[in-house]
Amino acid sequence: MPTHASLTGCLLFNLGTPASPETRDVRAYLREFLSDPRVLDMPAVGRWLLLNLIILPFRPAKSAHAYRSIWTDEGSPLMTHCRNLHAAVQERLGPEVPVELGMRYGEPSIKSALARLREKGVTRIVVLPLYPQSTSSTVGTGLEAIYDELGAWWDVPTVSVVEPFYTHPRYLDAQEALATPELEAFQPDHV
């Protein structure tokens, strides 16, 4: 019986971001994001009416204005941080472990990230949701997209998902380190 080499890859995924802070791109992003029943948990007809009659005619311009206020030369802050994290994880794991970044909505998509892992011959994928918590509207929708895509493959790789880490001591220490200078400057009465 032939033995096949096993190659583990890593998929980092996050929610996503518009392609640009322009109203048309924000509208496309909002349409994709808010069409997801895990995000707007309501009957399909109600979701369609809310999205197409109330949200999409008005919200994209307001959201585009907000995105423009935080957009940088490198793009959206979320995408910049995700790319930096992707590079750091790839460096940490080394060249023998392919690491890809996929977004649930927008680009690079989960589908394209999985395709790149497939091209590299992975037989096992470690999925790392870039959220500390696990909810249906974040991790749930991303995992659904991953499993839907992998289900169409002839040779389905083994998949492991990193558990939520919102109570992990290192995560809490990192949050404290980020918050402490801000809290010391702001000096709130209660935290």
Side-chain angles (χ1 to χ4, degrees), residues 11-13 32 100-119 125 142 145-150 152-153:
L11 173 65
L12 310 175
F13 83 86
E32 183 181 15
E100 293 294 339
L101 172 64
M103 297 294 175
R104 175 60 181 96
Y105 314 104
E107 295 296 328
S109 68
I110 285 173
K111 182 176 182 171
S112 66
L114 288 170
R116 288 188 299 278
L117 288 172
R118 184 180 195 180
E119 289 169 7
I125 299 174
I146 290 165
Y147 292 135
D148 284 350
E149 179 61 25
L150 292 178
W153 292 15

Side-chain angles (χ1 to χ4, degrees), residues 36 38-39 104-105 135-146:
D36 188 334
R38 288 182 178 265
V39 174
R104 175 60 181 96
Y105 314 104
T135 65
S136 181
S137 61
T138 57
V139 176
T141 187
L143 291 178
E144 182 177 30
I146 290 165

